[in-house]
Amino acid sequence: MIFPQWLDPYDAEPFMLFSTSHLWAIGLTAVLIILMFLFRNGLRSLSPNIRRIIRMTIACFMFGCEGVLQFWYVYGGVWSLQTSLPLELCSLSLLLSALLLLNRSRWLHSALLFAGIAGALMAIVTPNLGYGYAHFRFIQFFVAHASIILALLYMTWVERMRPSWKSVLGSMLFVNMAALVVYGMDVLLDANYMFLRHKPDTPSVLDMLGPYPLYILGEEVLAIVIFSLLYLLLFAIPERLNTRVKRGKSSAL
């Protein structure tokens, strides 16, 4: 079978870490996050019906991201139980974040918020990816991971599902419960989803955390640190500053 080059699973430009296209992907993700923050009040002021349509549209788009990936695996003849199931942390976060947009579950928001954002950010910065721009897999990878971050921030900034320190705990519980289930599937399928049996072949944050299985313990510590920093930088500190500004205005009046 002859594939167009941008769909060919075998003949494609290899991905280069921090190449121009990679830096563009990182930069565009950052811009979208900033725009989401800047326009949060405008989005929040929309009617409930319009916000529901926005959530449903984003959710369908996210489900579609996974759907077209699975179709590409089959189309390219590379689908397998060992590598193609949506059992990576970001695949789970993608599907569950789409579900969150539909059901607005506070438990699901707490479980996903920091695990989804941190996992997607690390994947964007150090992708386990074999295809360079403008291959389908390159585009799908970065679009899907950016969607996770934007969906979770939308539910927080626009839909006002406020996080707390309990959300850090909820995300830690989600990651560990997911890891237990996925590890069982890894053993059953002789696979390596979530890199629970060995490190990825491409450079990643795991390279700094020691050999197997020590890097898994390192991931636990790193996750707690990153989740806590995300809570402080994205939510706790901005809310405290906002409260001080409001008090200052009230005092001035």
Side-chain angles (χ1 to χ4, degrees):
M1 183 181 294
I2 299 176
F3 302 95
Q5 187 174 7
W6 65 284
L7 286 174
D8 196 324
Y10 303 106
D11 183 20
E13 289 293 326
F15 175 80
M16 300 295 293
L17 188 67
F18 301 133
S19 61
T20 301
S21 56
H22 183 204
L23 292 175
W24 268 104
I26 294 173
L28 286 173
T29 301
V31 168
L32 289 172
I33 292 171
I34 293 170
L35 289 175
M36 175 75 74
F37 179 77
L38 293 177
F39 289 100
R40 68 194 186 283
N41 291 328
L43 291 168
R44 195 182 295 159
S45 65
L46 296 173
S47 70
N49 285 337
I50 293 178
R51 292 206 313 272
R52 183 168 62 252
I53 291 172
I54 291 174
R55 293 198 312 274
M56 292 176 64
T57 301
I58 299 173
C60 290
F61 178 80
M62 295 174 76
F63 285 130
C65 283
E66 182 62 31
V68 295
L69 176 61
Q70 294 296 323
F71 179 81
W72 176 73
Y73 284 146
V74 175
Y75 171 78
V78 294
W79 192 95
S80 75
L81 287 172
Q82 286 73 35
T83 59
S84 306
L85 296 177
L87 293 177
E88 301 291 357
L89 178 61
C90 287
S91 298
L92 295 171
S93 297
L94 177 73
L95 297 174
L96 291 175
S97 294
L99 181 62
L100 170 65
L101 288 165
L102 299 177
N103 67 12
R104 303 178 68 192
S105 165
R106 292 195 175 276
W107 179 88
L108 196 55
H109 177 262
S110 180
L112 290 173
L113 182 59
F114 299 114
I117 292 176
L121 280 176
M122 285 193 291
I124 288 172
V125 175
T126 59
N128 179 35
L129 183 63
Y131 301 90
Y133 181 83
H135 195 275
F136 158 79
R137 185 67 178 104
F138 177 97
I139 296 171
Q140 188 276 338
F141 181 94
F142 286 104
V143 168
H145 285 83
S147 297
I148 296 169
I149 299 170
L150 294 172
L152 292 170
L153 291 178
Y154 178 89
M155 294 305 296
T156 306
W157 287 339
V158 179
E159 298 294 331
R160 297 186 180 184
M161 301 186 76
R162 308 310 299 172
S164 66
W165 283 110
K166 291 182 180 179
S167 301
V168 175
L169 176 60
S171 285
M172 286 300 300
L173 289 173
F174 166 71
V175 168
N176 282 277
M177 290 173 63
L180 285 174
V181 173
V182 171
Y183 182 76
M185 294 298 294
D186 281 344
V187 173
L188 181 65
L189 300 173
D190 191 25
N192 189 38
Y193 293 108
M194 290 182 66
F195 308 120
L196 293 172
R197 300 180 74 192
H198 59 79
K199 295 180 184 180
D201 298 327
T202 54
S204 72
V205 176
L206 302 185
D207 295 331
M208 299 184 292
L209 302 180
Y212 179 87
L214 291 179
Y215 72 82
I216 295 178
L217 296 177
E219 283 185 291
E220 293 281 343
V221 176
L222 185 63
I224 293 174
V225 172
I226 292 177
F227 295 177
S228 299
L229 285 174
L230 284 173
Y231 174 68
L232 288 171
L233 295 175
L234 291 177
F235 306 108
I237 293 176
E239 284 188 357
R240 180 166 294 185
L241 292 174
N242 189 44
T243 300
R244 287 183 179 178
V245 170
K246 287 182 178 178
R247 286 177 179 173
K249 290 181 179 179
S250 298
S251 300
L253 294 174

